Amino acid sequence: MIAMAAQALLIGIDVGTSGVKVVLADLDGRTIAQSTRTYGVSQPQPLFAEQDPEIWWDQTCRALQDVFAKSGANPSIVRGIGLTGQMHSLVLLDRDGAVIRPAILWSDQRTQEQCDWIHSELGLEKTIDLVANPALTNFTATKLIWVRQHEPENYRRIHRVLLPKDYIRYRLTGEFASDVSDASGTLLLDVAGRKWSEEMCERLSIPLAWLPSVHESVEVTGRVHAKAAAATGLAEGTPVAAGAGDQAAGAIGNGIVRPGIVSSTIGTSGVVFAYADGIVRDPKGRLHTFCHAVPGAWHVMGVTQAAGGSLQWYRNEFAQMEQSTAEWIGRDVYELLSDEAAAVAPGSEGLVFLPYLMGERTPHLNPLARGVFFGITSRHRRAHFVRSIMEGVAFSLRDCLELITSLGLPVEQIRVSGGGARSQVWRSIQAGVFGQDVCTVEANEGPAFGAALLAGVGSGCFEDLVSACDARIRVQANEAPDEIHVPVYAKTYDLYRALYTSLEPHFVEHT
């Protein structure tokens, strides 16, 4: 337990894909305590991905209890709670507030037929006009339509449709609410107008009454009730801010609150995220256009489905030796994998990896895309495969960055974050692939920290979000690209792009 003086504190809760993370921070932005509670993903069929929302709640309760035990903080000094979490995932509740079926996750790829139906009914241009984005397998509405078509008995029971963090809000406060950034990823929000799209809901025959009220991210949406206080250790009556989807909250935690500052995040997925003062649309729908957590602002982002997830797959399936060694010497297995990659020259001696293990969003919008290792020779060792995975993910992030710049958005500084930013090798690879400096910031708690800052504004601890970020988020280190490596990566990137073009028709044949 950490002895501490009474002071105002904030809590950020991040309901992620691999676990829930709770951060307890002071008003200067310093982390007092944090706890991460992990869980798994169920894959009952190929391309399916599901989780039980009850597990999210149970692990959130445990993580909150952990941070109070670690810090010794009195729950009464917590001024506000901010929520964030995985976007798009579908949570269905019945009239009694009970979960109807496991949540269908953002990474689930079962709904291509439903996407095609939406575009056939509305047209691609009309879809983008209504909700600023095309219909993608990741988005919530496509999953809801899948349930209607394949599980009519469950569909008839629906009373509320929620996103993961908003289910936790419901368990904390009893309120059905969401925020504009997370709601942007449902395919049901009028992103330009920052409200639910009545026309889209009508065209898709989705009742508006099922959807929660929608708010700006800093608004207070409810207070912790007695039952939740008993389960979590929180003080009854603590205000809960609307919060944000994980990418918008992570951007707040990185200070992406003005034009020119861009983030590159490697978590399970990978995201390149850019701030926009006004709404900006990619006419082909390859980039997402969402409301930002900054009130009255928007953002565009490109998404790589399996970024850190690709290295996680390699770790699980092929790195048993490294995992055993890591346990023996008390190091993180990813540190050992990074050490192996560092011993290989840039370009991985011609080994190229396409990181499409879960299909791909940006720039291909192809759920049928598959992962590929190309150029294997007898010279290649395990370390080459590790480095080629890291490079392939960086190439996919460059695809996103290229599209962002094509829309005329400035890229003056790239801030890297997520698990990938902890690896010096991966930071160096990103700098070389982008051909531009990358930097890290002092706060390293990601979306949970951003959610805490949102709670600080909502509870009146901070005047506004931009000034709160400017005062509390500081650049820690800068990584410049190696001039020798840049042309190597440029050449390999050209091959990377050509490989997708060559293989695209075979992905369809292989399915």
Side-chain angles (χ1 to χ4, degrees), residues 138-430:
N138 313 91
F139 287 176
T140 318
T142 68
K143 306 175 192 305
L144 185 55
I145 295 170
W146 184 93
V147 173
R148 181 167 69 204
Q149 295 175 344
H150 293 270
E151 299 178 353
E153 68 287 354
N154 284 334
Y155 193 82
R156 285 191 292 269
R157 296 174 57 200
I158 297 172
H159 184 65
R160 293 287 183 177
V161 174
L162 296 176
L163 297 164
K165 78 173 195 320
D166 301 324
Y167 176 70
I168 298 303
R169 180 195 329 279
Y170 167 65
R171 296 299 298 266
L172 286 172
T173 69
E175 301 291 339
F176 296 108
S178 190
D179 78 287
V180 291
S181 73
D182 214 359
S184 295
T186 63
L187 205 70
L188 299 173
L189 192 81
D190 172 1
V191 174
R194 307 174 83 88
K195 60 183 180 180
W196 294 118
S197 170
E198 294 184 17
E199 182 175 354
M200 180 59 104
C201 288
E202 181 179 351
R203 297 286 291 269
L204 300 184
S205 299
I206 295 173
L208 268 173
W210 287 358
L211 305 179
S213 60
V214 67
H215 306 264
E216 293 293 340
S217 294
V218 297
E219 294 180 30
V220 171
T221 55
R223 295 179 180 273
V224 175
H225 56 50
K227 186 176 180 180
T232 61
L234 292 164
E236 185 177 354
T238 306
V240 179
D246 57 357
Q247 297 307 321
I252 296 302
N254 277 317
I256 314 300
V257 294
R258 56 171 50 85
I261 305 177
V262 173
S263 64
S264 175
T265 303
I266 298 177
T268 303
S269 62
V271 174
V272 180
F273 183 111
Y275 173 100
D277 282 322
I279 189 165
V280 178
R281 294 182 177 92
D282 172 26
K284 295 182 179 179
R286 296 164 297 178
L287 291 169
H288 301 335
T289 297
F290 290 167
C291 299
H292 201 341
V294 179
W298 287 262
H299 69 81
V300 296
M301 68 181 189
V303 180
T304 295
Q305 287 281 100
S310 292
L311 193 59
Q312 183 183 51
W313 164 78
Y314 178 88
R315 179 204 68 179
N316 292 342
E317 302 302 329
F318 304 107
Q320 288 79 14
M321 180 182 68
E322 287 89 345
Q323 291 188 70
S324 296
T325 302
E327 291 175 9
W328 177 258
I329 65 177
R331 290 185 67 191
D332 187 325
V333 63
Y334 289 113
E335 293 179 3
L336 299 188
L337 292 174
S338 290
D339 288 347
E340 292 180 10
V344 175
S348 301
E349 295 193 56
L351 184 61
V352 181
F353 175 66
L354 307 188
Y356 308 140
L357 302 183
M358 296 292 292
E360 192 53 295
R361 283 204 242 179
T362 307
H364 305 302
L365 301 179
N366 185 357
L368 302 181
R370 292 294 178 264
V372 174
F373 283 107
F374 174 83
I376 304 171
T377 71
S378 60
R379 278 187 54 82
H380 289 119
R381 300 292 182 263
R382 292 158 58 89
H384 290 87
F385 285 85
V386 176
R387 187 174 186 107
S388 71
I389 289 172
M390 291 178 160
E391 291 177 345
V393 169
F395 293 143
S396 70
L397 296 174
R398 178 171 169 180
D399 277 343
C400 301
L401 192 66
E402 295 278 340
L403 285 176
I404 286 171
T405 57
S406 74
L407 295 180
L409 294 172
V411 180
E412 297 166 3
Q413 184 184 76
I414 300 175
R415 296 182 177 180
V416 293
S417 61
R422 290 195 288 271
S423 165
Q424 191 279 327
V425 177
W426 224 336
R427 295 196 304 271
S428 175
I429 288 171
Q430 287 186 80

Side-chain angles (χ1 to χ4, degrees), residues 8-158:
L9 298 176
L10 300 167
I11 284 178
I13 300 173
D14 178 10
V15 188
T17 309
S18 58
V20 62
K21 183 175 186 176
V22 172
V23 169
L24 184 68
D26 66 20
L27 299 191
D28 291 326
R30 292 186 294 262
T31 299
I32 303 302
Q34 72 93 8
S35 174
T36 299
R37 290 279 184 157
T38 62
Y39 38 71
V41 174
S42 171
Q43 293 186 291
Q45 296 184 42
L47 302 181
F48 283 30
E50 300 181 347
Q51 282 174 337
D52 181 359
E54 293 293 336
I55 294 176
W56 302 337
W57 172 244
D58 179 68
Q59 297 298 66
T60 297
C61 292
R62 293 173 184 271
L64 285 164
Q65 293 165 4
D66 285 348
V67 296
F68 287 125
K70 290 177 180 179
S71 65
N74 188 322
S76 65
I77 66 173
V78 175
R79 294 282 299 275
I81 300 166
L83 301 174
T84 185
Q86 52 176 297
M87 299 180 67
H88 315 304
S89 302
L90 176 70
V91 182
L92 301 177
L93 303 185
D94 65 17
R95 190 170 296 277
D96 297 323
V99 174
I100 293 173
R101 70 170 324 282
I104 302 178
L105 301 191
W106 62 272
S107 54
D108 189 287
Q109 296 292 303
R110 74 183 74 176
T111 64
Q112 186 59 51
E113 181 181 336
Q114 288 69 38
C115 295
D116 295 340
W117 175 78
I118 291 172
H119 288 152
S120 68
E121 289 291 308
L122 277 71
L124 176 62
E125 290 186 9
K126 180 64 173 178
T127 303
I128 294 176
D129 179 60
L130 287 175
V131 293
N133 298 281
L136 301 179
T137 53
N138 313 91
F139 287 176
T140 318
T142 68
K143 306 175 192 305
L144 185 55
I145 295 170
W146 184 93
V147 173
R148 181 167 69 204
Q149 295 175 344
H150 293 270
E151 299 178 353
E153 68 287 354
N154 284 334
Y155 193 82
R156 285 191 292 269
R157 296 174 57 200
I158 297 172

